[in-house]
Amino acid sequence: MTTRQDHLKQAQTTLQAGQYAAALELAQAVLDGAPDDGEALYLAAVAARYCKDTDKAQDYLAALHSAMPEYGRAWQEQGHLAIARSDAQGALSAFTRAVRYNPALTASWRELARLQGAAGNHAEAGTATAQHQRLAALPQELIAVTNHLAEGRLARAEEICRHFLRRNPARDKHHVEAMRLLAKIGIEFGVLDDAEFLLESAVSFAPDDVQLRLDYIDALRRRQKSAEALAQAELLIERDPENPLFQSRLAIECIQMGDYERGLALFGTVLKKLPNDPASLTSRGHALKTKGDRAEAEASYRAAIAAKPDHGDAWYALANLKTYRFSGAEIDQMQHLAARSEIPFMDRVHVNFALAKALEDEGDYEASFRHYDQGNAMKRAQTRYSADAMTRELARQEQFCTPELFEKHAGQGHAAPDPIFILGLPRAGSTLLEQILASHSQIDGTLELPNILALAHRLRGRKAGHPRYPQILHDLTGEQLAKFGEQFIQDTSIHRAGAPFFIDKMPNNFRHIGLIHLILPHAKIIDARRAPMDCCFSGFKQLFAEGQEFTYGLTEIGRYYADYVQLMEHWDRVLPGKVLRVAHEDVLDDLEGQTRRMLDFLGLPFEQQCLDFHTTPRAVRTASSEQVRQPINRKGQDAWKPFEPWLDELKAALGEAG
C-alpha cells in the first residue's frame, strides 16, 4: 500500500473515531504532495468542519469543487458546512446540487426535506421525503451501485450489481431496480444493445414504473430506434395526456422521426404551461434549427437565456449556429458566467465554447483560444480517452484486415447496393458532401447511423483487455456476414424516404471499412478529407454531444488524424478502388467537377439540383446545418492561421500527416 493510501485510510479511521484534528493532519499530509487529491480534500473539509474551523473547511471545499465540480459528496459536505454557518439558503442550494450529481445521497434528501419544509415549500419537501424513503427501502448494495455509478467507478458498480442480480429472483421490485442500474452502467460503457434488452425486460416486469420507461426511451433513442422510442413515448402520454414531462419527451421523439409539426406543437403546449422552462425552449430551438427555421431557433435560444441566464446549453446553441454574432453585452455576460465556479459544470463548459466563438468573431484570438482550451480541458478531465489505446486499436485493423481475409470471403456478404458511407473525421466537410448527394433524386440523406459501430462493439466481446474484433472476422462464415449485412439494411430502413440509395454519414466508420466491405461488399464508400490543420482545429473548436472524445486536446486530435491517414492508406492497399477520396478543398475549387466525380463513382447520372444543394429542403442534424444551407464558400478555410501561435502542440502531434 502506498503512503498516500496509508494516510487516507488512517485519516478516515481517525475521523470515524472522532479524532478530528489528527484526521485533518493526516489528510493535509497527502495534500502537501498532491494539492488536488479529491479524496484528501474531502476528508480534510469534513475534519475541519468538525474542528469548527469553517473557513478552512470552505477553502478545502473550494479546491475540491474546482478539481471535481460534479462530485456529489463534496456538495453534500458544502450543505453540512452551510448549516454549521447557519446559512439555510446556502445549504438548500448545496444539497440540491448534491442530489443532482449523486441521487443516492440519503443525508442530502433528508436535509432537503427538512429545509424545504421549513421554507414552506411543501411540494418540494414531499418530493425530497419520497426520495429519502425510496432510498431507505433499497438494499444497501443498490445504494452502493448508485453511488459508484454517480462517482464514475463503473467497473465496481457493475460487479456489485451483477452479484445482486444473481442472488435475487426476477420480478422482485429490487431486482427490477438493479436491472435499471445495470442498463445505465451499460449505457456509460457504450453497450447499448444490452442496455436496451435489460430495460425492455424490466419494463415488462414493472410496466407502471415511469422512470424505467423514460430510461428505456433514452436507450432506444441512443440506438437510433426512433419508431420504438416514439411508441414508448406515446404510452406515457396515454397514461397522463397533460403531463408536461411526457409531452416534452413525446415532442423530442416526434422530431427524431421527422414529424416537426407535431413535435413543435407539443413544445408549444408545454411552454404554455411552463413558459420560462429553459430546457423546453432550448429543445424547441434545436428542432427549429434542424428544420431550417433559423430566426425562430435563435429567438427560442435567446428566450431560454432570458429565463435562465446561466443556461450554458442555450448559449452554445447560439454559437453553434456558426453564423450568429454575439453583442458586446452578451460577451460581457458570458465572461462573467465563465468566471463563476459555482455554476454547474456543463454550463461552464458550454459557456467557454460559446465565449471562445464570440471572441474569435471579434478577432481577439488569444482570449478566444484560452476559452477553447479551457472548455476542452474540462471535458478532457471527464473522459477515459487514451491516444495510445486508440493507436493500438487502429493498428489491429491493419494487422488482421489483410488481403487474405478479403480473398477468403470474396463473393460473400449481403448483395444490397443501397448504402453509401461517407466517413472520415468530423468537421472534414462530410455534411457538405451529404447535402450535395442527398439533393439527388435517387439518394436519401439519413443520419450518422450507429449500426456499424454497434456491430463492431458486439463482435469485440466482453473480456476487458482482450477484444476478439477484428481478429474474429477470420472466423465468421459467409452466412453470418450476409446476415449482418441484411440486418443493417433492415435496421436502417426506418430512416429512409424511398430512394434507391441512402447515406450513412457516421465519420468513425472509417475504422471499420473492412467490416463494411465483408458484410456489404457492394456498398460505396467516400472518404471526406480536409487539410489537417483546418480539420483538427475545427474539431478542437467544436463541442460534440458525444462520441468524439479525441477532440478534447490538441495532441489527441493531431494523433487521431495521423492514425486515420495511416489506416486509410492501409484500406487503399488491401481494398484498391473501394474508397473514393474527396478533398474538401477540391470541392471548393471545382464543385461541379467533384460532384460529377462522386456521381460517376456511384453510377448515377448528374442532376443540377446537386449543385444547388443549399436550396434542398431537408433536415440537417450536424453542426454544419446552417453552413450547408448557404452557397459554397471558403469561410472555414485556413481558419486556424490566426491561432497559429498556440498550435505547436497540434503540429507536433500531426507529424508527417501535417
Side-chain angles (χ1 to χ4, degrees), residues 3-5 7-9 11-12 15 23-48 56-57 59-61 63-64 67-68 71 77:
T3 303
R4 172 190 176 275
Q5 291 170 317
H7 276 122
L8 289 175
K9 187 172 182 180
Q12 191 167 30
L15 187 63
L24 180 57
E25 187 175 337
L26 286 163
Q28 185 59 57
V30 175
L31 293 170
D32 288 342
D36 292 333
D37 189 297
E39 193 174 349
L41 285 167
Y42 174 75
L43 290 170
V46 175
K56 183 176 282 188
D59 288 342
Y60 286 127
L61 282 174
L64 181 52
M68 303 171 66
Y71 184 32
E77 179 55 27

Side-chain angles (χ1 to χ4, degrees), residues 340-360:
R340 288 176 53 195
S341 60
E342 77 278 8
I343 70 171
F345 177 79
M346 276 310 299
D347 286 313
R348 281 196 295 140
V349 171
H350 279 114
V351 166
N352 268 291
F353 274 90
L355 181 55
K357 174 65 168 65
L359 292 169
E360 179 182 1

Side-chain angles (χ1 to χ4, degrees), residues 8-189:
L8 289 175
K9 187 172 182 180
Q10 290 173 24
Q12 191 167 30
T13 303
T14 307
L15 187 63
Q16 290 167 345
Q19 300 172 28
Y20 306 126
L24 180 57
E25 187 175 337
L26 286 163
Q28 185 59 57
V30 175
L31 293 170
D32 288 342
D36 292 333
D37 189 297
E39 193 174 349
L41 285 167
Y42 174 75
L43 290 170
V46 175
R49 173 169 63 85
Y50 278 116
C51 288
K52 301 190 184 306
D53 190 343
T54 58
D55 288 342
K56 183 176 282 188
Q58 184 57 60
D59 288 342
Y60 286 127
L61 282 174
L64 181 52
H65 295 326
S66 178
M68 303 171 66
E70 294 190 337
Y71 184 32
R73 290 182 187 277
W75 289 104
Q76 178 169 269
E77 179 55 27
Q78 184 74 61
H80 290 317
L81 181 59
I83 290 172
R85 289 175 152 183
S86 302
D87 178 8
Q89 190 57 46
L92 189 61
S93 174
F95 287 127
T96 299
R97 189 170 295 188
V99 297
R100 182 193 307 150
Y101 298 140
N102 185 347
L105 295 173
T106 53
S108 290
W109 286 116
R110 183 188 64 239
E111 290 301 319
L112 278 172
R114 182 180 67 81
L115 291 164
Q116 293 284 22
N121 302 325
H122 301 300
E124 291 84 351
T127 299
T129 298
Q131 288 292 340
H132 183 258
Q133 291 172 345
R134 187 185 73 83
L135 287 171
L138 280 178
Q140 284 300 310
E141 297 101 312
L142 297 189
I143 294 176
V145 169
T146 308
N147 268 312
H148 288 307
L149 178 58
E151 294 175 6
R153 294 184 292 274
L154 300 180
R156 181 61 177 149
E158 182 181 20
E159 179 186 355
I160 298 170
C161 204
R162 289 191 182 279
H163 180 68
F164 180 88
L165 284 167
R166 285 193 293 270
R167 288 176 39 248
N168 288 271
R171 296 182 183 274
D172 175 83
K173 65 179 181 179
H174 295 144
H175 186 98
V176 169
E177 175 63 8
M179 292 172 72
R180 188 183 75 83
L181 289 170
L182 187 58
K184 290 181 75 68
I185 295 165
I187 287 172
E188 289 296 316
F189 275 128

Side-chain angles (χ1 to χ4, degrees), residues 39 61 107 118 167 197 201 205 288 298 356 366 542 601 606 616 619 654:
E39 193 174 349
L61 282 174
R167 288 176 39 248
F197 174 75
S201 303
F205 295 153
L288 290 163
E298 192 178 298
E366 183 174 4
Q542 181 68 41
F601 176 72
F606 175 77
T616 301
L654 281 167

Side-chain angles (χ1 to χ4, degrees), residues 2 62 124 209 336 342 355 431 440 443 468 522 531 580 588 614 623:
T2 66
E124 291 84 351
D209 188 318
H336 175 69
E342 77 278 8
L355 181 55
T431 302
H440 196 283
I443 302 175
R468 299 180 305 165
H522 300 291
L580 178 72
L588 300 183
H614 54 284

